[in-house]
Each structure stands twice: as C-alpha cells, then as structure tokens.
Amino acid sequence: MSTSPIEKISTVRLGTDGPRIGVQGFGAMGISEFYGDTDQTAARDTLEATVEAGVTLIDTADVYGSGANEEFLAPFLAAHRDEVTLATKFAIERRADDPQYRAVNNSPAYIKKSVEASLRRLNIDVIDLYYMHRRDPEVPFAESVGAMAELVREGKVKYLGLSEVTGAELREAYAVHPIAALQSEWSVFSRDVERSAVPAAAELGVTFVPYSPLGRGFLTGAFADAGKDLSEGDFRKFQPRFTGDNATANAALLEPLHKIAAAHGATTAQIALAWVQQRAQVHGLTVVPIPGTRRRSRLLENTGATRITLSAEELALLEPIAGQVAGDRYPDMSSTSAAREQ
C-alpha cells in the first residue's frame, strides 16, 4: 500500500444549500454485484482512499446486492460518518425467490418502509441524500415526492434526489420540495439528458450526478466485447451496446479518446471523466460524477481527471461520438428518462 500523500480534489456545494462535497464522488454498486467477484479487502482499502482523496459523496442503493451494498458500507460509515455525504436510493423492488424480478414502486407506503430498512442496514440515524431510483408514472409524482419530503421533516433524510427523470418531471418535483441532486447516466457515449434534464437542473440549482461516466468500463478499454471478454454473471453481457456488432462499432469510436489521452499523458478513463467534469462549465451547473471501482489505484486515477482541462479542439473531437453510438443503454429503456421525453 502506498504511503505517499494523496492530493485532495476540489469541492463544490450539493444543491443550493447542501454540504460541500468533492467534485467527484464514488459509486459503490460494483462492490456487491453486477461486475463479477469482488476482493473485499481491496474494496475496503478503496473506500479508505476515497476519504484520503477528498471523494466525499458515497453512492449506494437498497437494490445493490439486495441490501448487501448498504451493509458493506456500514463499518466504513461508522469510522468516517462526519467526513462523507452518504447517498442511497429506493424504488426498485426485488424478490429473493426470483433473482430476475424487478419492479418500480413509488408508493408512499413503500418509501416509508424502504427508508427504515436502509437506515438499519447502514446503521446510521439520518441519510444525507435520498434518491428516488426510478420513476413510476402510474403513481402521482406529488404523492411520491410528498412522502420523501415527510422524511426530511421527520429528520430521517437531509436532502432529496431523483434519478432518470425528465426536465419537466424535475420541475414538477421541485415545486413540491427542493431537490438537491439529479442522478442519470451521462458520458461521452450517453447524452440524452442534455435534452431537458440538464437545462432544468441548471435553472433550479440542482447538482447533476452522472452515473456510468465511464460507460460501465467500456470507455476505459477494459473490455472490447462484453459477450466474449467478461465473466458469467456480469450484467454488461446483456447490454446492447457492449456486445456483437454494436461493440465492434462502438470500440472504433474510442479513437479520439486514445489520441487525446496520449497528448495529455493520461488514460482514456481520465479523458472521459474530464469531459464529464467540464460539462459544468459548458452547461452552467454543478456536476459530480460517481465513477465506481474496487481498486485504490483506479480511484486515484479517476480523481486525477479532475485536474485535466480539455481544449476547445479536443472537446470538438469528442462532440460527435454520442450521436454515433450503436445500441441502447439498457435492453429495456422503459424506466429511463429518455423513454418519457416529449
């Protein structure tokens, strides 16, 4: 383990009146599920590195490992509670007797049950940032956000967040209660959020939290075809853009990333993250991406991206990529904001 001092990243404010947080956060999802087996010792060391590097927004959800991810974070939170801003999410239901089952539940009763379960697993008294993970259009938004607002009044949650909502839905929710953060997929490969969600977040002072800013590892060059290169059980094997002809076509789109990375003496991951970080200046809002990793070295590589500035010429090289990507983000896009855009 390295004993060299780690350079801390800069900070920004969460929402309009939230705490100061690192300009890059940490997505903990892959520690518990979705990306193959995890070395638990290495993962815990990686978590320690987040604090050392100033990565203070730690992101999880009750659905990750069916609660196991929250439980994994509990000892870390016990040791560092005053140093981190903990975000978790509700809304995606799973069943122990059916591993493939997924349903979206936004009912007030389910929200109340979910927050109690998350508090228990995390072993904390209050959740800093509580997200609605996915939107169920069948439940009136005012009812769902109203139930979330009640959690703030009860002192169980400090700030509210939404995930995968449109600009119109963000405004509707904000009218019920201030929203501190909007979390949706945003990367060089995925830019549908720029249609309405990003402008609405900028208008309202909502922090944008891009998930999968590295295209689930594809933008790093870690794999070229999920169907051939990844282990059984890795959910990327079932995502359309990462397999077969789509993967071949999309891998060719990475050439500008390689070119720019070479010019900066950086990795393609760092260039992809630098692009996301610079969306803050491009769109006039606070942007805090949450790349995930299970290795300390990758975490420090990711934070290094916050100190890279891409030139106008380099940004121009990356501009057309998203429009050329083959395949959707998910096999079923029905729960994404893109499916509800007018």
Side-chain angles (χ1 to χ4, degrees):
M1 185 184 301
S2 173
T3 57
S4 301
I6 294 176
E7 184 176 355
K8 287 186 180 289
I9 61 176
S10 60
T11 64
V12 291
R13 188 166 302 284
L14 175 66
T16 57
D17 62 351
R20 301 288 300 185
I21 58 175
V23 74
Q24 187 180 108
F26 179 78
M29 179 183 81
I31 291 174
S32 299
E33 197 178 9
F34 304 109
Y35 297 129
D37 295 336
T38 294
D39 180 327
Q40 300 288 301
T41 300
R44 292 199 182 283
D45 181 51
T46 303
L47 279 175
E48 291 298 324
T50 63
V51 175
E52 297 168 31
V55 176
T56 56
L57 178 65
I58 308 298
D59 183 272
T60 183
D62 59 6
V63 72
Y64 301 159
S66 298
N69 200 249
E70 291 180 327
E71 291 172 347
F72 180 87
L73 289 173
F76 170 77
L77 292 173
H80 300 286
R81 190 66 189 99
D82 294 337
E83 299 170 87
V84 303
T85 297
L86 188 282
T88 192
K89 316 177 196 73
F90 74 90
I92 302 178
E93 286 190 282
R94 301 179 72 171
R95 290 178 179 169
D97 60 352
D98 182 359
Q100 304 306 314
Y101 178 83
R102 300 286 192 279
V104 177
N105 193 333
N106 289 173
S107 71
Y110 182 76
I111 294 170
K112 292 178 182 179
K113 181 177 72 172
S114 296
V115 75
E116 296 296 344
S118 286
L119 287 167
R120 183 178 64 253
R121 286 188 293 263
L122 292 160
N123 194 28
I124 57 178
D125 296 324
V126 59
I127 293 166
D128 299 314
L129 176 59
Y130 200 42
Y131 286 103
M132 176 187 290
H133 205 163
R134 290 293 185 271
R135 167 90 171 96
D136 178 6
E138 298 302 313
V139 178
F141 215 12
E143 289 185 16
S144 301
V145 180
M148 295 171 70
E150 183 61 29
L151 301 179
V152 176
R153 288 189 287 270
E154 292 172 356
K156 296 174 181 177
V157 170
K158 292 182 180 179
Y159 301 95
L160 301 184
L162 301 170
S163 180
E164 289 284 356
V165 299
T166 67
E169 289 169 336
L170 177 58
R171 290 187 179 91
E172 182 182 352
Y174 204 99
V176 176
H177 189 279
I179 303 298
L182 169 57
Q183 180 178 140
S184 292
E185 187 165 354
W186 198 8
S187 73
V188 171
F189 264 31
S190 301
R191 298 179 60 179
D192 51 89
V193 293
E194 294 175 23
R195 181 174 177 181
S196 73
V198 169
E203 172 190 321
L204 297 169
V206 175
T207 295
F208 207 104
V209 180
Y211 74 78
S212 296
L214 295 174
R216 304 193 185 280
F218 194 81
L219 297 175
T220 73
F223 66 97
D225 186 324
K228 299 175 182 177
D229 302 339
L230 302 180
S231 62
E232 291 302 318
D234 193 307
F235 91 126
R236 292 171 291 185
K237 293 170 76 74
F238 306 100
Q239 291 189 298
R241 60 179 49 170
F242 299 145
T243 57
D245 290 342
N246 286 347
T248 301
N250 293 335
L253 299 176
L254 300 181
E255 182 54 34
L257 281 170
H258 288 290
K259 180 180 178 180
I260 297 168
H264 283 267
T267 65
T268 56
Q270 289 177 316
I271 299 307
L273 283 171
W275 181 91
V276 175
Q277 302 276 182
Q278 280 184 240
R279 298 300 92 190
Q281 287 74 49
V282 172
H283 295 280
L285 77 169
T286 301
V287 177
V288 182
I290 49 169
T293 182
R294 293 169 287 187
R295 288 188 284 170
R296 170 183 282 258
S297 61
R298 292 297 188 198
L299 178 99
L300 300 182
E301 176 185 330
N302 291 343
T303 57
T306 68
R307 294 179 279 275
I308 295 174
T309 300
L310 303 179
S311 69
E313 292 77 11
E314 290 168 336
L315 293 174
L317 285 175
L318 301 175
E319 183 65 25
I321 292 177
Q324 301 171 41
V325 173
D328 282 332
R329 296 193 274 128
Y330 297 99
D332 179 1
M333 290 283 288
S334 62
S335 291
T336 67
S337 59
R340 298 190 304 277
E341 287 283 8
Q342 298 299 314

